[in-house]
Structures are given as C-alpha cells and as structure tokens.
Amino acid sequence: MKQEKIISIRTKLLGVILPVVSIIVAVLVGFSYNISRAAIKKAAENLLNTSVENQVSEIEAWLDENLSSISAAKKSIETMRLADSQLQQFLNGFYGYNSNYPQGLYLADTTGNMMTAVGSVKTETDPTQTVWYKEGMTRVNIGITSAYTNAEGEEVISACGILNDYSGMLKVISADLSLQKISIIVSSLVSMDQAQAFLVDSKDLSILAHRDNSLLYEKLNESKDVFLQDVAKRLQEDDLSTIQIDGNLAAFEEVGGTDWILVSYVPVKAVYQDVDKIRSSMIFIGIVSILLLALLIERVVYVVIRPVKGLTKAIMAMTDGDFTVKIHARSKDEIGVMGRCMEKYAQTMRSMIASIHGVSSKLYEQADSSNDVSGQMLDASKMQSASMRELNQTVEQLSVSVNEIAQNATTLAMVVADTRENSVQVNEKMKNTVDVSQKGKADMQNVGSAMRDINESVTKLQEAIDRVGQASEEITNITNVIGNIADETNLLSLNASIEAARAGDAGRGFAVVATQIGQLAQTSAESAHNIEKLISEINGLVRDAVTQAGDSIASINSSSVLVNGALQTFDNIFENIGLVSKMVHQMIDQVEQVDGVASNVAAISQEQAASSQEILASSDTMVEQANHITGNSESVANEAKELTESAMELARQVEIFKIGEGES
C-alpha cells in the first residue's frame, strides 16, 4: 500500500497562525490608514475653505476700496454742481491718481458725448452702446460690470453708475479697473502647497483670473480640460459645496456684490502624500513583525511537538501490524499521557491477536464443512424448482386456452343479444316507415288534385286576361274618336274666334264662348291622349300576364307529371317496405334461438375458466415456494462460501501482525 504524504503539525500551525496574524496586521494598517486619511481630508477641506474665504475677502476689500473712491468722486460732482470746465479739471485730477484705474474717471450722456481726462487714451465711437454705459444706466450707486474687452483691446471691468449733476441731462460716470490686481490676489494668497485658484464669471462661465495666462477669458464649458468641464457643471447646477473632482479637492466661494465665484483646488495626491508615506512605513513594519513572529512561532512549535514525532513513528508501525514496538513516555503533559495509553494499547492488542489466531483456524474448518452441505442442498432445490416451473407452464397454457374460450363465448352471447335488440329496434323503425309511407302516399294524391285545380284556375285567369285585352283595344278606339272630336272642336272654336274678331264689339261675347270651347276641346284631347297612354301600359301588362300565365301552365303541367311519378314511386316503396318488415320478423325469431345457445356456452366457459384460475393459483404458489427454497439454499451456499473465505482472510490478516516469538 502506497504511504500517503505526511504534513507535519508544525507546518499546519504555521499555515494557520501566520495568515491570521497577517490578516490582523493588514486590518490594523488599513483601519489606521482610513482614519488618518479621513482626518487629513477634513483638515485639508477646512484649510482649503479658509484659504478661499481669505482670497474672497481680499477681492471684496479691493473692490470696496475702489467702489468707495469712485462713489466719493461721483458724490462730489453731484454736490458741487460743476460747470463743464470745472468738471474737466476734476476728471484731469483723477488721471493717474489710482493705479487700480490709471485712466481715471470718464462719463457720457444720452446723446453720446463723452468726457475723459486730458492725457487719457480712453475713446469710444458710440459710448451709449458700451457695456459700462448700458449697465451704468441700470443703477444709481456705483457697481461692478461684467468683464469685457474695451476699445483698446484690454480685458477690464468697470465701476459705473448714473451721475446727476443737475445739468438737465442724464449721464453715466465710470472707471476701468484692471484685473491684474485680482489675478495677483487669486494666485498669491493660496495657503496650501500645490494648491491653485481661479476666478470665474458665473454668467458666462469665463475665467477672469488664473495663474496660467493662456486660460484667461476661456469659457469653462468650452474647455478641453476635464476638471474645468466638471467645474462648469457644478456651477450650472448652483452646487458650491466642497467636493472631490477629477482627482482634485475643490472649494467654491462667491464674491459679494458680483457674479464672480472663486474656485480653489488642490490635487488629492498632494493632500494624502504624508499619510501615504505613513501607510508605507506601517506596511514595512508589519511585514518585519510578521517575519519575526513566524520565526518565534516555529521555534516554540518545534520544542512543543518534538515528543510527538516518536509517538507518530510507533503508531505508524502499529498501523503496519508491528506491535513489537516500545513507547517511552517521560513527560507529564497530554503528549505523555497519550504515549502511556498507546503502550498499554499495544500490549492489549498483542494478547488479543494471539487469541484471534487460534479461533480463526477452528472457524476455517467448520466453514469448509458447511460449504459442502450447502452445495448438496442447493443442487436438490434447483431440480425441484425446475420441475415445478414446467408444471406451472403447462397449467398456465391450459388456463390461457380456457380463458380465451370463455371470452369468445361471452363475446358471442353479447353480440347475439345486441343483434336481437337491434332487430327489435329495426322492426319498430319499419313499422314507423310503413305508417309514414302511407301518409306520404295520401299527401302526394292530395298534391296531384291540388295541381289539377291550379291548372284549371290558371286557364280561367288567362281567359279573363284575354277579355281585358279586348276591352282595352275597344277603349283605345273610343279615345281615338274622342281625340278626333276634340281636334274638330278646336278648329271650330278657332274659326269662331276669327269671326268674333271680325264682328268687333258685337262678337266679343261670342269670342269668350269660342275661347272656352277651345280650352275644353284641348283639355279633352289631352285627357284622351293620357287615357291612350294608360291603355298602352295596361296592354303591355296584360301581354306580360298572358306570357307568365302560359309559363305557369307549362310549369304546372310539368309538376303534375312529376307528382304522378312520385306517387307511383311511393307505391313501390310501400310494397318493398312490407316485404322487408316480414323478413325482419323472421330474423328476430332466429336471433332469439341463437341467443339462448350462446348464453349456455358462455356460462359453461366461465365455469371452466374459474376452475383453471384456481389450479393456476395453486401452481403459482408451489412454484413460488420452490423458488423460495432454491433462493434460501443458494443464500446458505453463498454464505457458507463467504464464511470459508472470511476465515481464510481472517487467518491471513492475523498473520500480518507481529507480537513476538513467544506469544505467536
């Protein structure tokens, strides 16, 4: 037998303890790192928010300073009500006065006239269309405009407002502020390493101030930089909370009084670079600790489990059947107790194996004798089982034949009974058919008489229609005469009218009578014409009626011939049905005789089938008992053979063990 590979306890302990310790160290390092990372992130957010707030405060202070200065100048002009020459001197005094707006103050009225300081390069073709003028007209107090490009091509913002100098014309006073100072504030006041900031106009998302001059006045949503695009989305959503965007921690702050938003950001790597160094140091220390701990555990385990090796060798020898080994257990711990128990077990097994060896020899002799006897019983039972199976097959074939005869006889009796019932039903149907045929014959005779009456009626109708046609011809002749009379009367009335006209006033009354007679003649002619039309239509209808009457007479004559033929057919059917009825009565008598014979045969066959089933059941029981005896004999023979083999195997197994020369 191939010996399996042994894995030492030391290897198992190290394989369990070291992974657990490694996982604990990794969890501690990860937990410490996450706590440190969260604390540093919170501190970075606070520092970034503080930085952006300071920058916004500086920008607001710078804007307030300039707005206050320009507002004071505006108030002075409005209070002193200066003339144009004095106003020009006032503007000249502010030229170059403040570095934040070196071009000084300038103003423009609604007509487009513009006043600037002497020496100023500020020019406008149409001041009323400029950003500073349009936004200045919307407020009385000085305010900041959006960033724009002035006529000189510079990107500036303007502080402007309405000026009321009581000259009777509305004016706007303004000053251009350079964004250079704001860029310096945005770029220089960042209080974190690697942090940057830029100023954005929230209206059009353009960059007003940035450390990188190439990005100035670029729109965030049109930039190719992913970070700037994400910042644009945050500003469009009006979300100014501190958040991590595209690997940068970003903070947002609005500049009061303007549409500006200051965005300050720092790379996340720069925020976490210190904690990442600490994490690397902790990982290195953890790995070194795990290695030292592994070495310590290995030495301790070696010292503890060294006695187990001797005990393991003794157990392996016992496994191979060698109980002659000696076990020396000196320690008083669990391993020592185990060794002493194994020594006692080896002694017990040596005495037990010696006893089993003697018993196995006697068992082998008894099993061999039982095997011979069981073989003889098995042969006898097989012969008896074969004889019983042959007898059972013969009885079974006999039972099958008797059952088939009984089934056929029963089927014959059922068929004869069904035939008898069907014959009775056929007899009743034949009687009904005879009655129906008699009624059909009488009905056909009545139909023939009715057809003859219809023929006579149609003939009389045709004669009446002929007389109507003759009368209509006479009426047509009369209407022709009436028409001729009407024509003559009309001519007479016309002649009378002519004669009355010749007679003058004496013939006026006669003319009226002649006119009435003419109208009457015309009416009579029209009526005769209408009567003639009606007579013509009546003649046409009469001719159609005559034609249809002739067709009806022909159809009636044909129907009469068919009815007579059908009457003869019914006579033949009636005679044939009478003959069939007699034959059915004869068939019923014969079927009743066959039914009696079939019932007797079926009863006898069923009795024989029942007897054969009882014989077959008894035979089956005998075969089953014979098979059971054969099975038991075979089981006894197999068990005797297995017992012999077991005794031999037991003897071989016992011979494997070594228990010493004196004891074996």
Side-chain angles (χ1 to χ4, degrees), residues 516-583:
Q516 294 295 327
I517 291 170
Q519 292 177 354
L520 180 59
Q522 187 174 1
T523 302
S524 298
E526 291 176 355
S527 297
H529 186 63
N530 291 333
I531 291 170
E532 186 177 358
K533 286 183 178 180
L534 292 174
I535 293 301
S536 297
E537 293 177 358
I538 290 171
N539 288 333
L541 295 174
V542 167
R543 285 192 296 272
D544 293 339
V546 170
T547 302
Q548 292 177 359
D551 295 339
S552 298
I553 290 171
S555 299
I556 290 169
N557 290 330
S558 299
S559 298
S560 297
V561 174
L562 295 174
V563 169
N564 291 328
L567 185 59
Q568 293 177 359
T569 302
F570 266 96
D571 291 337
N572 295 330
I573 292 171
F574 182 72
E575 292 176 359
N576 293 331
I577 289 172
L579 295 174
V580 173
S581 178
K582 292 179 181 179
M583 294 174 67

Side-chain angles (χ1 to χ4, degrees), residues 6-25:
I6 299 175
I7 300 175
S8 64
I9 297 176
R10 180 172 60 181
T11 304
K12 287 185 177 181
L13 289 175
L14 291 175
V16 173
I17 295 174
L18 289 180
V20 172
V21 173
S22 300
I23 292 173
I24 293 173
V25 172

Side-chain angles (χ1 to χ4, degrees), residues 364-649:
Y364 175 75
E365 294 175 357
Q366 294 174 357
D368 194 14
S369 177
S370 298
N371 189 20
D372 295 336
V373 174
S374 63
Q376 295 174 4
M377 291 176 62
L378 177 60
D379 294 337
S381 64
K382 286 182 178 179
M383 292 176 63
Q384 183 181 2
S385 178
S387 300
M388 293 304 300
R389 280 197 296 272
E390 292 177 358
L391 177 60
N392 185 59
Q393 290 176 359
T394 303
V395 173
E396 185 175 1
Q397 291 176 359
L398 177 61
S399 176
V400 171
S401 300
V402 172
N403 284 329
E404 290 179 355
I405 293 171
Q407 291 176 0
N408 293 332
T410 303
T411 303
L412 177 60
M414 294 173 62
V415 171
V416 171
D418 293 340
T419 304
R420 182 175 175 276
E421 293 177 358
N422 293 333
S423 299
V424 174
Q425 294 178 0
V426 169
N427 188 22
E428 292 177 356
K429 296 295 183 181
M430 290 302 298
K431 290 179 180 180
N432 294 331
T433 304
V434 170
D435 295 336
V436 172
S437 64
Q438 288 177 350
K439 292 179 181 179
K441 181 179 179 182
D443 292 338
M444 291 304 296
Q445 290 175 352
N446 293 330
V447 171
S449 298
M451 292 299 293
R452 287 191 294 273
D453 293 338
I454 292 171
N455 193 3
E456 293 175 359
S457 299
V458 172
T459 303
K460 292 177 181 180
L461 176 62
Q462 187 175 11
E463 292 175 356
I465 291 172
D466 291 337
R467 288 196 296 272
V468 171
Q470 293 174 1
S472 63
E473 290 179 358
E474 293 177 359
I475 293 171
T476 301
N477 293 331
I478 294 171
T479 55
N480 289 331
V481 174
I482 293 172
N484 293 332
I485 293 172
D487 291 338
E488 293 295 333
T489 303
N490 194 15
L491 290 175
L492 291 174
S493 66
L494 182 59
N495 292 331
S497 297
I498 293 171
E499 293 298 331
R502 289 178 180 175
D505 292 336
R508 187 174 299 171
F510 183 72
V512 173
V513 174
T515 302
Q516 294 295 327
I517 291 170
Q519 292 177 354
L520 180 59
Q522 187 174 1
T523 302
S524 298
E526 291 176 355
S527 297
H529 186 63
N530 291 333
I531 291 170
E532 186 177 358
K533 286 183 178 180
L534 292 174
I535 293 301
S536 297
E537 293 177 358
I538 290 171
N539 288 333
L541 295 174
V542 167
R543 285 192 296 272
D544 293 339
V546 170
T547 302
Q548 292 177 359
D551 295 339
S552 298
I553 290 171
S555 299
I556 290 169
N557 290 330
S558 299
S559 298
S560 297
V561 174
L562 295 174
V563 169
N564 291 328
L567 185 59
Q568 293 177 359
T569 302
F570 266 96
D571 291 337
N572 295 330
I573 292 171
F574 182 72
E575 292 176 359
N576 293 331
I577 289 172
L579 295 174
V580 173
S581 178
K582 292 179 181 179
M583 294 174 67
V584 169
H585 281 294
Q586 294 175 1
M587 184 179 69
I588 290 172
D589 295 336
Q590 295 173 356
V591 168
E592 288 179 352
Q593 295 176 2
V594 175
D595 188 16
V597 175
S599 299
N600 293 330
V601 173
I604 295 170
S605 299
Q606 289 177 355
E607 291 178 359
Q608 291 179 352
S611 299
S612 65
Q613 288 294 332
E614 292 177 358
I615 295 171
L616 181 59
S618 300
S619 177
D620 288 338
T621 303
M622 294 174 66
V623 171
E624 184 177 357
Q625 292 176 356
N627 290 333
H628 184 65
I629 293 171
T630 303
N632 292 334
S633 300
E634 189 173 358
S635 298
V636 170
N638 292 332
E639 289 174 358
K641 185 177 181 181
E642 290 177 358
L643 181 60
T644 302
E645 293 176 354
S646 299
M648 293 175 66
E649 181 65 22

Side-chain angles (χ1 to χ4, degrees), residues 135-183:
E135 295 191 17
M137 290 294 290
T138 62
R139 50 179 173 255
V140 176
N141 297 323
I142 299 297
I144 300 298
T145 67
S146 303
Y148 67 96
T149 304
N150 60 14
E152 289 74 32
E154 299 176 353
E155 293 290 337
V156 296
I157 56 174
S158 297
C160 57
I162 296 175
L163 176 67
N164 185 11
D165 60 353
Y166 301 98
S167 62
M169 185 175 294
L170 199 61
K171 299 178 182 179
V172 173
I173 185 170
S174 178
D176 291 343
L177 300 176
S178 174
L179 293 176
Q180 188 66 29
K181 182 64 176 180
I182 296 176
S183 298

